[in-house]
Amino acid sequence: MFRLATIRRQLPLVSFLALSVAVVGIQGFAASPPNVVLILADDLGWGDLGCYGAKDIRTPHLDRLAREGVRFTQFYANGPECSPTRAALLTGRYHQRVGGLECAIGISGVGRYDDAIRLAATHDLGLPASEATLPRLLQDAGYATALSGKWHLGYEDKFSPLRHGFDPAFYCLGGGMDYFHHREDPPTRSPVLRLNGAAVRRRGYATDLFADEAVRWIQTNTARAGAKPFFLYLPFTAPHSPYQAPDEEQSAPLPADSPRWQQGKAPPQVYAAMIERMDEAIGRVLKALEGTGQATNTLVIFASDNGGTASARSCGLRDIKSSTFEGGIRVPCIARWSGVLPAGVEYLHPAATFDLTVSIAHAAGVKAPAGQPFDGIDILRSALRGEAPPARTLFWRGRRGQRTWHAVREGALKLVARADGARREEYLFDLALDPGEQTNLLSERPADATRLRTALALWEVDVKPGR
């Protein structure tokens, strides 16, 4: 845990005075609402950045962001796969409340477990427009909003980003696509690049195209007379499969039988090149903020949608994407808000994706509507004050086919359960002593396990979807 006194010692007097003024602003929201740039990586592992320990991947722009802001060391994705986390990010709520979004939506809108299959059969698999989303709340509060990147929250037009408060929206529909020819994974290999809901073709590496669009929008929006504060959502597809480095363009789309489509089997140098290109793209976005004079009034947040695949760099965490062990859900997260958040500090407390939603909403002065309260908490306020957040229990549930993963974290204790048909495995860990989850304490601490199971059961009743 860090304290405000520690922050004070680390900052020069001028910076600390600015921080003191900013505290009044963020607590009372008397200051002008900030711009927000929310950046998401896809399948990025906890140890895949230089500032998180990577030795063979160069990420100078994200490393700089960490030096100038807050680096979260126990940050979790709300889901062990991408669509779940993205739903939690946009709503600020457990994605289980929506229904059907407990694993990644399949190619062309396929459901991958019973509830998702049921909704897909009636063309209802996606994030409904009836859900209150952060971009719509911000848009209603006077923000200009834009999306450039991966959507993956429904293929039907009724789930379009335009129906959730994004205008404009340049995006790919699904989970993965050829980085150069912008066709979805086999077997369909359908063109999935969209601009405001319409199919569009553009030549270029997807990571570059998404950054190009973001930079243009920042420059155009800020050049307007009486420009509004803005919210830019920039979810990259990198380093999700197919594994293609930026210098590997071919005249034809990647063959359906190419091993590059297979998650977790990236050539190490290609995987590193994909992340490095994403870092370069982020650098261009940060430069655009500086060039338009917006850097000092912009909250920039970076995170990943779930843990890394087997292609991610080893970081001592157990397992990979799709599981609720630490390697499947613990991800990097960085937040910079110059003059408001302290620079160069670590936030050591557990936090999750939907906490970013609440933090952004509070910074912008907007509230969740009646009937759809946020499940997350404001972690930026906690980081600013140098205080621990309120005590709480965090929950996970991910489903695919007959397999269900659960996890519960209370303090340093974490219960993990995996059910696959009739087979069930359960584990209890003390993450303070065993962050690699190697020692199962289930038999030694039965009372703790029972308490966490009970909490999980009550949570599952609470988040039961209504559709």
Side-chain angles (χ1 to χ4, degrees), residues 191-364:
V192 287
L193 203 57
R194 300 287 186 269
L195 176 62
N196 295 331
V200 63
R201 293 184 182 273
R202 292 188 183 178
R203 182 172 180 178
Y205 190 63
T207 301
D208 296 339
L209 292 179
F210 294 142
D212 290 344
E213 192 71 19
V215 167
R216 278 195 294 269
W217 187 78
I218 289 171
Q219 293 170 340
T220 301
N221 184 72
T222 54
R224 293 191 182 104
K228 302 176 180 179
F230 63 79
F231 172 66
L232 171 64
Y233 178 39
L234 180 55
F236 290 101
T237 55
H240 192 288
S241 62
Y243 299 112
Q244 296 170 290
D247 62 354
E248 292 188 315
E249 182 175 8
Q250 302 292 323
S251 59
L254 198 64
D257 61 355
S258 171
R260 297 293 188 90
W261 289 107
Q262 299 177 28
Q263 292 194 34
K265 295 187 177 181
Q269 70 278 11
V270 171
Y271 187 78
M274 294 171 73
I275 295 172
E276 289 177 358
R277 189 58 155 240
M278 179 178 65
D279 182 78
E280 291 173 11
I282 292 169
R284 291 196 287 116
V285 173
L286 297 177
K287 185 176 180 181
L289 292 174
E290 294 165 359
T292 55
Q294 299 300 312
T296 56
N297 189 40
T298 300
L299 168 60
V300 180
I301 298 174
F302 173 86
S304 181
D305 63 347
N306 46 249
T309 66
S311 296
R313 298 311 187 243
S314 176
C315 57
L317 301 182
R318 181 169 178 171
D319 220 328
I320 58 174
K321 170 187 176 178
S322 297
S323 82
T324 55
F325 288 116
E326 292 291 283
I329 54 176
R330 191 186 289 202
V331 297
C333 181
I334 303 165
R336 185 190 75 180
W337 187 357
S338 300
V340 177
L341 292 176
V345 298
E346 294 183 357
Y347 186 88
L348 306 177
H349 313 287
T353 310
F354 58 16
D355 296 333
L356 299 177
T357 320
V358 179
S359 300
I360 293 169
H362 286 180

Side-chain angles (χ1 to χ4, degrees), residues 52-260:
Y52 281 85
K55 303 299 182 185
D56 64 333
I57 304 177
R58 296 165 295 180
T59 54
H61 299 289
L62 285 167
D63 295 349
R64 173 193 164 194
L65 204 67
R67 290 194 303 272
E68 296 175 348
V70 178
R71 186 172 70 95
F72 295 81
T73 58
Q74 295 195 67
F75 191 86
Y76 292 97
N78 270 109
E81 297 183 11
C82 39
S83 296
T85 298
R86 292 163 198 272
L89 177 61
L90 290 188
T91 63
R93 291 156 58 85
Y94 280 109
H95 52 274
Q96 286 81 6
R97 298 187 187 280
V98 177
L101 295 177
E102 293 192 53
C103 78
I105 296 175
I107 296 167
S108 297
V110 170
R112 288 172 161 164
Y113 67 101
D114 53 10
D115 193 35
I117 293 169
R118 174 183 63 83
L119 290 168
T122 56
H123 304 282
D124 291 320
L125 182 57
L127 183 64
S130 58
E131 292 290 328
T133 56
L134 179 63
R136 187 185 300 127
L137 293 173
L138 293 174
Q139 193 177 63
D140 290 346
Y143 270 70
T145 62
L147 162 67
S148 183
K150 175 176 174 176
W151 181 236
H152 208 186
L153 284 172
Y155 285 74
E156 308 284 341
D157 179 67
K158 62 184 177 181
F159 302 124
S160 162
L162 298 177
R163 298 181 183 273
H164 287 286
F166 287 112
D167 183 17
F170 175 61
Y171 58 99
C172 64
L173 280 170
M177 69 173 183
D178 185 303
Y179 279 74
F180 297 100
H181 296 275
H182 316 133
R183 292 179 176 271
E184 194 163 44
D185 293 12
T188 65
R189 303 174 72 201
S190 304
V192 287
L193 203 57
R194 300 287 186 269
L195 176 62
N196 295 331
V200 63
R201 293 184 182 273
R202 292 188 183 178
R203 182 172 180 178
Y205 190 63
T207 301
D208 296 339
L209 292 179
F210 294 142
D212 290 344
E213 192 71 19
V215 167
R216 278 195 294 269
W217 187 78
I218 289 171
Q219 293 170 340
T220 301
N221 184 72
T222 54
R224 293 191 182 104
K228 302 176 180 179
F230 63 79
F231 172 66
L232 171 64
Y233 178 39
L234 180 55
F236 290 101
T237 55
H240 192 288
S241 62
Y243 299 112
Q244 296 170 290
D247 62 354
E248 292 188 315
E249 182 175 8
Q250 302 292 323
S251 59
L254 198 64
D257 61 355
S258 171
R260 297 293 188 90

Side-chain angles (χ1 to χ4, degrees), residues 412-450:
L413 283 181
K414 182 183 173 191
L415 181 75
V416 177
R418 179 181 186 271
D420 196 344
R423 181 184 178 190
R424 181 176 175 85
E425 302 168 354
E426 196 172 51
Y427 307 83
L428 181 67
F429 304 109
D430 184 337
L431 296 179
L433 303 175
D434 181 25
E437 297 176 308
Q438 297 302 305
T439 304
N440 189 356
L441 303 175
L442 201 63
S443 61
E444 298 176 28
R445 302 176 67 167
D448 288 324
T450 297

